[in-house]
């Protein structure tokens, strides 16, 4: 799973007292020491929050079941789009294959649960859902269920609340249309070698 690779990709910094000159100097020395390790440095505080969020996810029975199922973490999937001929790639956080029931899981951190729907629309998560589901089906021949795991970054009763959601069909369809539009625009720009689009300025009525 993704946590098996954690130590290979991240370095956890010790706790530094940044209020003191010595603490700041110690942190600078640590960062200089690990600069060539090609790993992502997590602060002591960020790692503490990350582990607490992980514990909150495992405290949710449905999320725990999904996380503990055998699956493929961060595995790339490739396919050639039939309409444009473009090679496409997705990299799901995790996908699970159980006979004819396939599941894609994507993790999202969020400030508060009340922001879930707004975040999906503004950050175009429904477009990701559509593209990942389409690409997965093209590659494996099976339409997957797509589940978002949302974990709040705001403490509530000592925990970071977590939940699991999927999008309704009409929202997914809207995302699919946006995904197709974006891929077609990319294909046209690549075909015509025209990557620069400058919009025209509308002349004011009073100047005409």
């Amino acid at each position: 799973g993704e946590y098996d690779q954690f130590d290979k990709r991240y370095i956890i910094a010790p706790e530094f007292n940044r209020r003191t000159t010595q603490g700041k100097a110690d942190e600078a020395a640590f960062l200089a020491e690990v600069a060539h390790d090609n790993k992502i440095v997590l602060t002591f505080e960020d790692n503490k929050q990350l582990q607490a969020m992980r514990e909150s996810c495992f405290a949710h029975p449905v999320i725990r079941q999904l996380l503990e199922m055998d699956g493929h973490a961060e595995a790339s999937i490739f396919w050639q789009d039939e309409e444009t001929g473009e090679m496409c790639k997705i990299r799901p956080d995790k996908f699970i294959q159980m006979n004819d029931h396939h599941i894609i899981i994507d993790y999202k951190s969020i400030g508060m649960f009340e922001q879930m729907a707004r975040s999906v629309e503004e950050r175009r998560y429904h477009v990701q859902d559509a593209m990942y589901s389409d690409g997965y089906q093209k590659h494996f021949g099976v339409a997957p269920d797509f589940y978002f795991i949302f974990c709040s970054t705001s403490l509530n009763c000592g925990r970071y609340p977590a939940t699991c959601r999927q999008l309704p069909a009409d929202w997914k369809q809207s995302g699919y249309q946006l995904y197709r539009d974006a891929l077609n625009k990319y294909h046209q720009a690549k075909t015509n070698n025209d990557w620069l689009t400058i919009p025209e300025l509308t002349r004011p009525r009073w100047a005409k």
Side-chain angles (χ1 to χ4, degrees):
E2 58 272 30
Y3 288 100
D4 299 334
Q5 303 296 317
F6 190 86
D7 291 339
K8 297 179 182 178
R9 299 171 57 186
Y10 297 92
I11 295 176
I12 311 304
E15 186 174 15
F16 298 109
N17 185 354
R18 299 185 184 88
R19 294 187 298 273
T20 67
T21 302
Q22 185 61 50
K24 293 176 181 177
D26 290 343
E27 183 177 31
F30 171 81
L31 292 174
E33 182 181 342
V34 301
H36 302 294
D37 289 348
N38 294 322
K39 293 183 180 181
I40 300 170
V41 179
L42 284 181
T43 66
F44 178 87
E45 295 79 11
D46 285 347
N47 182 60
K48 186 176 180 180
Q49 182 186 41
L50 179 65
Q51 295 306 319
M53 291 171 68
R54 181 173 185 263
E55 289 175 6
S56 294
C57 285
F58 273 90
H60 189 291
V62 174
I63 296 176
R64 183 185 185 95
Q65 183 180 4
L66 291 170
L67 294 178
E68 290 183 341
M69 284 182 177
D70 289 336
H72 304 272
E74 297 186 356
S76 296
I77 298 171
F78 301 87
W79 77 100
Q80 185 172 23
D81 181 60
E82 295 177 0
E83 181 180 340
T84 64
E86 297 292 345
M87 289 301 301
C88 301
K89 171 188 173 182
I90 55 175
R91 191 176 175 85
D93 288 338
K94 181 177 182 180
F95 63 87
I96 300 166
Q97 299 173 322
M98 300 180 297
N99 299 320
D100 291 333
H101 187 194
H102 293 205
I103 300 169
I104 293 177
I105 299 171
D106 193 79
Y107 311 100
K108 302 295 185 190
S109 60
I110 192 167
M112 301 176 66
F113 277 180
E114 292 80 0
Q115 300 170 343
M116 275 191 293
R118 181 175 179 177
S119 293
V120 169
E121 192 67 31
E122 291 184 347
R123 300 182 181 182
R124 296 167 65 90
Y125 293 160
H126 56 315
V127 181
Q128 178 191 5
D129 182 331
M131 181 177 181
Y132 277 45
S133 298
D134 185 49
Y136 190 97
Q137 184 172 11
K138 295 287 174 55
H139 185 85
F140 290 107
V142 178
D145 287 329
F146 194 108
Y147 298 153
F148 288 104
I149 294 178
F150 289 100
C151 189
S152 174
T153 56
S154 301
L155 274 173
N156 188 334
C157 300
R159 285 193 177 277
Y160 295 95
T163 191
C164 187
R165 292 287 189 273
Q166 58 181 323
L167 300 186
D170 61 333
W171 212 348
K172 292 168 72 79
Q173 181 57 38
S174 175
Y176 180 81
Q177 189 58 56
L178 290 170
Y179 145 58
R180 293 307 313 174
D181 290 346
L183 184 56
N184 282 319
K185 286 180 181 178
Y186 169 81
H187 175 66
Q188 290 300 321
K190 181 179 176 183
T191 300
N192 301 324
N193 195 27
D194 182 11
W195 302 96
L196 188 61
T197 301
I198 307 297
E200 290 184 343
L201 183 64
T202 302
R203 189 179 183 188
R205 290 178 177 272
W206 56 261
K208 296 180 181 179

